[in-house]
């Protein structure tokens, strides 16, 4: 920094008030009124660096320049300790395409994706890194699933609707794609992407960079006719390759569904594929293929997730309850709600019907979707012949369902065995002041169920995840008295769900926690990856 001088503009001449100009003499400095550049430093993002300080001693006779070289410490908590990549100190000129290097540039940058790192960054991958000797590899969320030759393919459309086989399947990312592939009867046997072998011939690595492999087994094969009729075939262990038969090409892959079983340590232990095979005639120029992949953790039931990890708006709120016998060690903490109306372990409420008759709406439930405020209800016709206790139980079952859950999953991907990922439902009761003259003695019957779900944004500010932190179910009852014989009365029964974001900032007038508005410069990490 002692040799740097940004105000030195004149060649072999002294620039006025430029205290770092090497062309200036002591006589020149005596005529200066100030130093136009009082401090010269290098990269301001470094944690510690040298700084050249320039000033004028006006009390001296004649005035003279004062030069100091000090160690400057960056007070910011975000700073670069060492700039060890020398190539980043200057921009490299891009390579201009010519007739000699065009093929090489096309091979490097002509595909759908390419590496942005220069070749000089590549290290010797054959030499084993000492830090990797004792490292245990495992799959992490979003990492491409590796096979012995490349990665597990999940064809998908890229720019147009045509299939691209370069899309890798990512670990724990459920995907479903559809794309179009060009095919004809004459060459159907030569197109790899319409053959079963293309999707199962490469074994999956149990964990990245390992020699342990998992073969892809065929779980089921469904044959689809030209008119769309599907038939489940026996003998899924038989490999059915495309072949021409009576001017038709049969056994063409129309759909593939992968199912991956993994452990909680990120290891793949099983992989299965289900196929839909079809046929085409000579008029067909293309086919539409569908691909899907799903994941299930070993020793758990395959229940659809509502987010990963945070809830996704519009997906069902997941719920469960403690089994009888807890906390004996041979019992799991939570079990899914295994009911005909709630087979996917979801929180549900009363579903409104066109007739609005409560007694006819029994059993009609609709799932509670995250982020959607809902109100539903029906009308209950009460006669003098109805008994208090049976009527109360009937309405309670109508509002809460056959088996109201005790817990709600805090995240969209909470597993049953993760105790801290489940939030207990708090039950409250309140009574209305209204009194219906129906029963001889006062009878308290439930007339509404109000569910409040409080959630907050969790994790990174850049990509916050929705997390449920509290659930309250409030039953409101009202008093009824006996009606004269032959008379009847209709009362409304309602059910509602409200979602409250408690991570929102406080309203004006309320005391809020102090916040830190810290933000990195947009180019802070340049040129580091």
């Amino acid at each position: 920094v002692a040799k740097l001088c940004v105000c030195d503009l004149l060649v072999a001449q002294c620039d006025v008030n430029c205290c770092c100009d090497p062309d200036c003499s002591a006589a020149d400095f005596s005529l200066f009124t100030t130093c136009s550049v009082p401090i010269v430093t290098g990269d301001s993002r470094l944690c510690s660096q040298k700084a050249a300080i320039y000033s004028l001693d006006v009390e001296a006779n004649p005035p003279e320049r004062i030069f100091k070289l000090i160690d400057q410490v960056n007070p910011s908590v975000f700073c670069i300790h060492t700039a060890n990549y020398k190539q980043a100190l200057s921009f490299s000129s891009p390579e201009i395409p010519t007739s000699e290097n065009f093929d090489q540039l096309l091979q490097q940058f002509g595909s759908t994706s390419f590496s942005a790192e220069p070749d000089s960054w590549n290290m010797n991958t054959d030499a084993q890194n000492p830090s990797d000797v004792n490292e245990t590899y495992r799959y992490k969320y979003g990492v491409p699933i590796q096979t012995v030759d490349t990665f597990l393919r999940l064809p998908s459309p890229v720019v147009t609707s045509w299939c691209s086989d370069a899309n890798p399947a990512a670990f724990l990312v459920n995907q479903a794609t559809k794309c179009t592939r060009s095919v004809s009867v004459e060459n159907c046997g030569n197109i790899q992407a319409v053959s079963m072998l293309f999707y199962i011939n490469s074994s999956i690595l149990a964990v990245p960079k390992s020699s342990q492999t998992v073969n892809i087994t065929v779980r089921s094969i469904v044959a689809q006719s030209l008119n769309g009729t599907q038939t489940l075939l026996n003998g899924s262990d038989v490999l059915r390759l495309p072949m021409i038969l009576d001017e038709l090409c049969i056994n063409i892959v129309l759909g593939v569904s992968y199912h991956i079983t993994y452990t909680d340590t990120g290891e793949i232990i099983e992989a299965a594929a289900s196929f839909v095979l079809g046929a085409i005639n000579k008029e067909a120029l293309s086919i539409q293929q569908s691909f899907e992949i799903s994941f299930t953790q070993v020793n758990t039931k395959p229940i659809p997730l509502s987010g990963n990890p945070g809830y996704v708006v519009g997906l069902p709120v997941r719920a469960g309850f403690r089994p009888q016998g807890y906390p004996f060690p041979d019992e799991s903490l939570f079990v899914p709600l295994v009911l005909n109306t709630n087979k996917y372990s979801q929180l549900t409420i009363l579903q409104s019907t066109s007739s609005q008759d409560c007694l006819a709406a029994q059993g009609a439930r609709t799932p509670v979707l995250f982020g959607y405020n809902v109100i539903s209800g029906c009308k209950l016709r009460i006669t003098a012949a109805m008994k208090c206790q049976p009527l109360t139980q009937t309405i309670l079952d109508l509002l809460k369902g056959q088996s109201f859950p005790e817990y709600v999953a805090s995240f969209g991907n909470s597993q049953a065995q993760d105790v801290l990922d489940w939030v207990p439902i708090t039950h409250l009761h309140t009574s209305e002041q209204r009194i219906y003259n129906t029963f001889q003695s006062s009878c308290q019957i439930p007339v509404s169920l109000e569910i409040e779900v409080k959630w907050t944004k969790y994790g990174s500010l850049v990509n916050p995840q929705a997390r449920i932190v509290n659930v309250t179910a409030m039953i409101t009852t009202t008093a009824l008295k006996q009606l004269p014989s032959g008379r009847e009365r209709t009362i409304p029964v309602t059910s509602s769900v409200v979602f409250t974001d408690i991570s929102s900032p406080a309203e004006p007038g309320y005391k809020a926690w102090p916040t830190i508005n810290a933000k990195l410069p947009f180019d802070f990490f340049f040129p580091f990856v």
Side-chain angles (χ1 to χ4, degrees), residues 55-68:
S55 62
L56 291 176
D57 185 4
V58 295
E59 296 181 357
N61 189 17
E64 58 183 15
R65 182 196 69 165
I66 301 175
F67 168 73
K68 293 181 181 179

Side-chain angles (χ1 to χ4, degrees), residues 371-386:
Y372 287 4
N373 296 337
V374 178
I375 183 170
S376 61
C378 57
K379 296 179 180 179
L380 179 64
R381 185 171 57 89
I382 301 177
T383 63
M386 291 183 174

